[in-house]
Amino acid sequence: MRRLRRPGAGRSAALRAGVPLVSVVLAAAVCGEPTAQAQAVRPVAGAASAPAAAATSCADRVYNGMTQAQRIGQLFMGGIPATGAGATDLRTLRDQHVGSVMLTGRSSAGTTATRRVVDGVGGQADTVSGKRVGLLVSTDQEGGQVQVLNGPGFSTIPNALTQGGWSTSTLRSRAAGWAGELKSAGVNLNLAPVADVVPASLGTRNQPIGRYYREYGYTPDVVASHSGAFAAGFGQAHVMTTLKHFPGLGRVIGNTDTTANVVDSVTTTTSSYLTPFKSGIQAGSPFVMISSATYSKIDAHHIAAFSPTVIRKLLRTQLGFKGVVISDDLGQAVAVRAYTPGQRAVAFLSAGGNLILTVKTSVVPAMAQGVASRMRTDAAFRATVADSVHRVLAAKASAGLLSCG
């Protein structure tokens, strides 16, 4: 969750690996205005190739001006407490050139105080050719029990199951308001909506989603329409969103944050439970988060986050996703505890992932070292890293976080 490229060999290695160099940027800042019929959501009219091409060109210029350490840093999203980062985390973010942060935990300090936290972290972001490379600043602002930011200026957002009972036009309108609150606090990326479908027969026995009423409904159509409406409202307010947790955590029992060897033995590459992801991708979702469960009928040998079959074949090729693939937490989740931090980072990137999320910022140095080490000996991996950095930078450019004027 990024790369160096030689003009000839790097490009051919990337193509052989099935990793096209980014040419189209799908970001809510330029395309994310689905129609009111949320099941048939389309990018907004006027989200044309010119802004996307300009964003890509800007990303190329910033990339070319970066050191290798700066490029590697763009592959990481480090967690910091929403109430304020400590000196150690700030130093790690700065020293490792970390290009994205996630506000974690819980805060009731409100929008103004949160903005101060964000501005403080952003003030130490890298500069390239004298211009600051803006941070992606994310959080979990789904609603219900999963709402990191609270207090003055923030609405109390109901859980997704409640949101799923509203009309799509109502949800879209309210989501635009919630997005505006995040924007005023300096947050430009929400790690939502949840596109997982929990069958009614499983309900709250589903630990990661159903237990907390994080699903918009119990059928693929309802989840597709309402996750689409949520994303459309955020796009309207120019805050990016993330479809999660591909290819779905709705049909498991265990929670990958707290449990190892979580297996979905039902979902296939043609499952109707992929419908919310398909429609969200068609509507222009700029980010998709990958689950850390294993899907035995898709790839029984790797967790999804480490699976080229899930990321390259299913998500990229079959569903046509062109944006940024972000991991679920690879820092302290029990699902990945059997791997060293360096192994986690390399495995995710090798599988086709682009942005490595770790709620535990202290593991970033070991992860970055693992990436740099593999780059020294593996030309195909260098091409993979280059593609990921380009995708992250292109998303930043279309969100107005890069300056190329």
Side-chain angles (χ1 to χ4, degrees):
M1 312 170 146
R2 304 118 190 193
R3 42 285 256 281
L4 283 173
R5 182 196 336 147
R6 285 179 296 142
R11 179 177 291 273
S12 60
L15 294 176
R16 284 197 304 273
V19 190
L21 290 175
V22 65
S23 60
V24 179
V25 182
L26 297 172
V30 292
C31 63
E33 281 286 305
T35 65
Q37 280 117 353
Q39 288 193 57
V41 253
R42 303 190 311 265
V44 63
S49 58
T56 303
S57 173
C58 181
D60 287 341
R61 277 182 277 169
V62 172
Y63 176 90
N64 291 336
M66 284 180 154
T67 66
Q68 177 173 302
Q70 288 178 317
R71 291 169 181 170
I72 291 174
Q74 292 298 311
L75 304 173
F76 295 97
M77 176 178 282
I80 60 170
T83 51
T88 300
D89 281 347
L90 286 172
R91 185 166 54 251
T92 299
L93 294 172
R94 183 178 62 251
D95 292 350
Q96 299 298 318
H97 309 280
V98 174
S100 303
V101 296
M102 177 189 178
L103 304 181
T104 63
R106 290 291 183 273
S107 171
S108 58
T111 54
T112 301
T114 301
R115 184 66 187 238
R116 283 197 294 268
V117 171
V118 171
D119 288 347
V121 177
Q124 64 172 32
D126 270 5
T127 57
V128 173
S129 303
K131 296 179 179 178
R132 195 167 305 280
V133 179
L135 299 178
L136 289 173
V137 180
S138 74
T139 197
D140 278 325
Q141 200 82 339
E142 300 172 17
Q145 295 183 62
V146 185
Q147 179 174 344
V148 171
L149 302 176
N150 300 275
F154 288 114
S155 300
T156 299
I157 305 172
N159 63 50
L161 199 56
T162 298
Q163 295 174 39
W166 299 344
S167 70
T168 54
S169 59
T170 294
L171 177 53
R172 176 174 173 160
S173 174
R174 293 190 185 179
W178 303 331
E181 295 166 0
L182 287 184
K183 190 166 186 159
S184 70
V187 177
N188 49 44
L189 173 63
N190 194 2
L191 300 179
V194 168
D196 308 314
V197 182
V198 179
S201 59
L202 190 55
T204 55
R205 290 189 296 124
N206 172 258
Q207 293 296 309
I209 310 299
R211 179 182 178 185
Y212 304 104
Y213 307 107
R214 298 171 71 191
E215 71 274 32
Y216 288 96
Y218 301 118
T219 65
D221 285 348
V222 170
V223 174
S225 63
H226 286 73
S227 60
F230 183 98
F234 271 74
Q236 195 175 307
H238 305 297
V239 175
M240 295 179 289
T241 51
T242 309
L243 291 173
K244 63 184 186 185
H245 311 75
F246 188 82
L249 278 176
R251 296 201 274 181
V252 301
I253 298 297
N255 185 336
T256 55
D257 287 338
T258 56
T259 308
N261 304 314
V262 175
V263 177
D264 175 328
S265 58
V266 181
T267 302
T268 68
T269 58
T270 58
S271 173
S272 65
Y273 283 65
L274 296 178
T275 298
F277 293 102
K278 289 180 184 176
S279 61
I281 288 167
Q282 289 167 2
S285 178
F287 290 78
V288 171
M289 180 181 285
I290 301 295
S291 153
S292 294
T294 299
Y295 297 80
S296 60
K297 290 194 174 177
I298 300 175
D299 181 353
H301 304 293
H302 304 90
I303 65 171
F306 300 161
S307 170
T309 301
V310 170
I311 300 176
R312 296 194 193 279
K313 187 174 179 182
L314 179 56
L315 181 59
R316 291 285 190 210
T317 303
Q318 185 173 318
L319 299 189
F321 180 60
K322 301 273 195 301
V324 177
V325 176
I326 184 171
S327 73
D328 204 345
D329 174 42
L330 296 183
Q332 63 182 20
V334 174
V336 296
R337 196 167 284 175
Y339 305 88
T340 67
Q343 288 171 334
R344 298 169 205 169
V346 169
F348 177 68
L349 294 169
S350 297
N354 310 127
L355 185 58
I356 300 163
L357 168 63
T358 169
V359 300
K360 189 177 178 182
T361 294
S362 61
V363 304
V364 170
M367 288 180 163
Q369 184 177 17
V371 171
S373 178
R374 177 61 66 91
M375 288 176 70
R376 285 194 289 270
T377 61
D378 188 334
F381 185 73
R382 287 197 295 273
T384 293
V385 167
D387 176 70
S388 287
V389 178
H390 273 90
R391 290 184 193 271
V392 171
L393 290 176
K396 287 186 172 187
S398 24
L401 297 174
L402 302 185
S403 177
C404 290

